[in-house]
Amino acid sequence: MSRGRRRLLVHGVVQGVGFRPFVYRLATELGLGGTVCNRGDAGVEIVVEGPDVRLVEFVEALRGRAPQLARVERIDAEALDPIGETAFAIAPSREVEGAGGALPPDTAICSECVDDVRGSGRYAGYWATSCTDCGPRFTVIEGLPYDRPLTSMREFPLCPACAAEYTDPLNRRYHAQTTACPVCGPRLAFDDEESDALERGAAALLAGKVVAMKGLGGTHLACQARDAAAAMRLRQRLGRSGQPFAVMAREQDVESLAAPDPEEWALLRRPERPIVAVRCRAGVLPAGIAPGLDSVGLLLPYSGLQILLLDRVKGPIVLTSANLPGRPMWTENAEIREKSRGIADHVLAHDRRIVARCDDSVVRRAGGRTVFIRRSRGYTPERFPIDLGAEPLLALGPETGVTFALYSDRAITLSQHIGSVDNLETFEFLRQAIDHLVRLAGVGAIRRIACDLHPQFMTSHLARALAGEAGGEVIPVQHHAAHVAAVMAEHRLDEAVGVVLDGYGYGADGAPWGGEIFVARDRQMTRVGSLRPVPLPGGDLATRHPLRAAAGYLAAAGVIGERLRARLVARGLDAVVVDTVVQQIARGVNAPETTSAGRFLDAVAAWLGVCRERTYEGEPAMRLEAAARGGRAIEVPVSVHERESRLEVDLVTPFAALVELEANGATVADLAATAQMLLARGTADAAIRIAQQHRIHTVGLSGGVAVNDAIASEFRRRIEAAGLDMKTNEGVPCGDGGVSFGQAVFAGRDMRLTA
């Protein structure tokens, strides 16, 4: 039997996921000799020798039988001369100069560790239990290769029992870098006292208190979810008048709170443990948990601390990010103590440093697909393989809902959720997160920086500063063009009709865009359609007070002057404000014309009394979606016509019709459902016409509005009924969190936009 020897370089998520012990067991099972080791580029190097038929079987098994958390992107193979090696061993890790690569994300505690935590062995009751199949990764890594000395766990030397498991290749804690036990691991403290910390934390929650809890990537604020008074106190102390709270529950309690379908159950149980937006049961949770909504963000516990705490509380808890509105989560113990004063009654914290701040991920089902509202813990820093050339590239996203994207080594890494960088604290978080990921990726000077087309965004200023430091270039990318590029790259499309239903984006003509249709092919993107523009009196002020957007729609429909003034006053808008709004529209001063799909939904929500003041991003549209549940869409015509060589979807005339229907007694539910249907139907019909004209088979849907289930579902139904294929963002967020990914693709492929 012929014999061979190979050097294999395995690339992907293969460090910190039990890959080396898997290789050891596989090689031993097949009777092969050689070694396996981690490399500093986040890859794994295998030298393996044996019968050729066994080598083929070995390589196939590396892909087909890899550990659950591993992801093999590619295997580079080199033939070597056999030397007669028959024993297999795990070799020490190797550093590689200037190396970087795929990094493992944090993962929920596995079932075996849950059994250990709830059992009677030496891990019983220990809150930080983990193994190679679970636990923190990205949030503790300081350098590569992924070994304990290059993580924040280096501050906790292993005791003899943990060291024995750590060095045993047949143990599931072999080289589990975050392994620890009550003897040698991080410690938990309640109000700075270690004694009975977990029991005292649970007792505080049961007593109706608010507890700041330090977790994997930051701190949460917690209280009992069924305690209306505690939830309201938390809301008032935080200054979050309407933003929904997430709720963490044990599996056995979920059905009492909501009715997840099989797909939603699968999402809840995924090892990434995202928050999943699901329909909640009426009257089960206090109205203050998710004001004005009929859904709740549910998640299952993903750490030993959360498992043990819920076992004691025996009921669901509110679990919301511990930060002041618009600011980053707290991560350092002194910061937690200081900033939680007046908000939390108690602090439950541990002494393991958080290296990388990382908020919870949020997903939902929309249009028959799973879409991200926020992509962060559990998914960051997974890579998206794509070839944009040899030169690295950094894309900084817009200004709200920011993530950044780093392209290197033929892949894009999307950062954790950063937030809105219109304040110094979050801006500094962005800078630190960029430095951290660039260092881990082993990337040198980055000379190509992509950013939003808006020249005054903080991210645009940062792009110019970074490019100046590196002697590089800034590549501005129009916001909605980036959305389309993201959809196309995700689904490997060479051409598409791209529909972006969004709130705001700085247009190529300087106007506020937000409901756009593009034709994309041959690295060229052309804006071929949009919603009909309407005035937006007060500009950005109209996003916070959406009756202003309604005024713009009425004015575009011909309701002006005294008629407009009377209608706005009747809707409850202050008379002085009404005078200003009417004058802004009449004079065209501070009333830019916008094509925004989000502002259409805002206008309807405000007119129907569903939401007249926005207190968080997307609130009017989210409340409108909840109000539409159970409503039946009324047949209202929506026209698509050509204007200046572009198609225009006219929602102005339908808006006026909705106003009249409401005056004649139509229900809020029916009118809300009608508005969503009009937006979906009008834009889908326009996209179909354009696809047929240009002989393009695929329509891509993106933008913040694409997470609306009713709109995405109706849009998909019409596109597919026309015999076309429809794609939407699934791996990256549809909203602003996916823009940096699209910017990197647009810039890396040297795409061009024609407005």
Side-chain angles (χ1 to χ4, degrees), residues 422 536-549 573 590 598-599 602 606 611-620:
D422 54 359
L536 193 65
D540 288 345
L541 196 59
T543 65
R544 297 195 297 275
H545 302 283
L547 266 176
R548 288 172 171 264
L573 197 59
N590 194 23
R599 297 299 82 83
D602 289 357
C611 183
R612 297 233 166 108
E613 181 181 359
R614 190 199 76 172
T615 63
Y616 60 89
E617 187 74 25
E619 181 180 9

Side-chain angles (χ1 to χ4, degrees), residues 84-103:
E85 191 170 23
T86 57
F88 199 88
I90 298 175
S93 298
R94 289 180 49 201
E95 293 189 12
V96 178
E97 186 176 352
L103 308 170

Side-chain angles (χ1 to χ4, degrees), residues 656-669:
L658 293 176
V659 169
E660 294 308 312
L661 286 167
E662 192 257 355
N664 291 325
T667 67
V668 168

Side-chain angles (χ1 to χ4, degrees), residues 484 488 493-498 518-521 696 698-700:
V484 175
M488 294 182 68
L493 303 175
D494 295 322
E495 61 179 19
V497 173
F518 301 86
V519 166
R521 61 177 14 150
I696 294 175
T698 304
V699 176

Side-chain angles (χ1 to χ4, degrees), residues 225-309:
R226 290 194 172 102
D227 188 334
M232 188 54 64
R233 281 197 301 274
L234 175 56
R235 188 170 292 287
Q236 291 169 345
R237 292 174 183 179
L238 271 177
R240 295 180 188 167
S241 59
Q243 190 169 2
F245 290 147
V247 173
M248 176 175 280
R250 301 175 300 176
E251 277 205 38
Q252 61 263 41
D253 295 328
V254 167
E255 292 285 357
S256 68
L257 305 173
D261 63 25
E263 290 82 5
E264 290 166 339
W265 263 120
L267 289 169
L268 284 165
R269 290 169 171 147
R270 283 186 63 88
E272 295 88 352
R273 286 295 195 277
I275 297 170
V276 184
V278 298
R279 193 90 59 87
C280 56
R281 296 190 185 279
V284 172
L285 291 171
I289 297 293
L293 305 180
D294 65 347
S295 61
V296 62
L298 280 181
L299 74 160
L300 300 178
Y302 55 83
S303 71
L305 173 59
Q306 294 164 350
I307 292 277
L308 293 167
L309 194 70

